[in-house]
Amino acid sequence: MMRNELRAKMIRVCDQKIATKGEGVGLSFYAFFANKNDQPELLMEVATWWIQTHKLDHFVKAKVIRDMVNAGL
């Protein structure tokens, strides 16, 4: 189960990427974090959701991720 604050952040980042780069933009789970590892617990939470739970590829369309998060997956 992912924290609500993290879900909101993922949706916000996906919306921003789609708005600036278009519907076809892909991203990795690193897109939700700064280039420094200052939130290791959150990073692992997203990595677990992305890799172990959903077995997603490294890059996935932002629209797909946003729809999955909105659906509560």
Side-chain angles (χ1 to χ4, degrees), residues 8-38:
K9 180 178 184 177
M10 291 176 74
I11 292 167
R12 185 174 60 251
V13 169
C14 288
D15 285 344
Q16 290 170 347
K17 295 286 185 183
I18 292 167
T20 59
K21 298 190 178 199
E23 289 281 327
V25 66
L27 47 84
S28 77
F29 64 86
Y30 290 113
F32 308 110
F33 301 93
N35 287 336
K36 57 185 175 183
N37 189 10
D38 59 354

Side-chain angles (χ1 to χ4, degrees), residues 20-61:
T20 59
K21 298 190 178 199
E23 289 281 327
V25 66
L27 47 84
S28 77
F29 64 86
Y30 290 113
F32 308 110
F33 301 93
N35 287 336
K36 57 185 175 183
N37 189 10
D38 59 354
Q39 296 178 301
E41 296 85 16
L42 289 179
L43 177 63
M44 289 307 297
E45 191 171 331
V46 174
T48 299
W49 180 88
W50 193 287
I51 297 166
Q52 288 184 318
T53 304
H54 296 290
K55 300 185 181 5
L56 299 172
D57 291 335
H58 185 75
F59 283 97
V60 177
K61 303 252 186 255

Side-chain angles (χ1 to χ4, degrees), residues 1-16 18 23 32 49 54 61-73:
M1 186 78 165
M2 195 183 308
R3 304 170 210 207
N4 288 334
E5 69 185 61
L6 189 51
R7 288 184 178 280
K9 180 178 184 177
M10 291 176 74
I11 292 167
R12 185 174 60 251
V13 169
C14 288
D15 285 344
Q16 290 170 347
I18 292 167
E23 289 281 327
F32 308 110
W49 180 88
H54 296 290
K61 303 252 186 255
K63 182 182 181 324
V64 170
I65 298 300
R66 182 187 63 196
D67 292 347
M68 289 175 71
V69 173
N70 274 329
L73 299 177

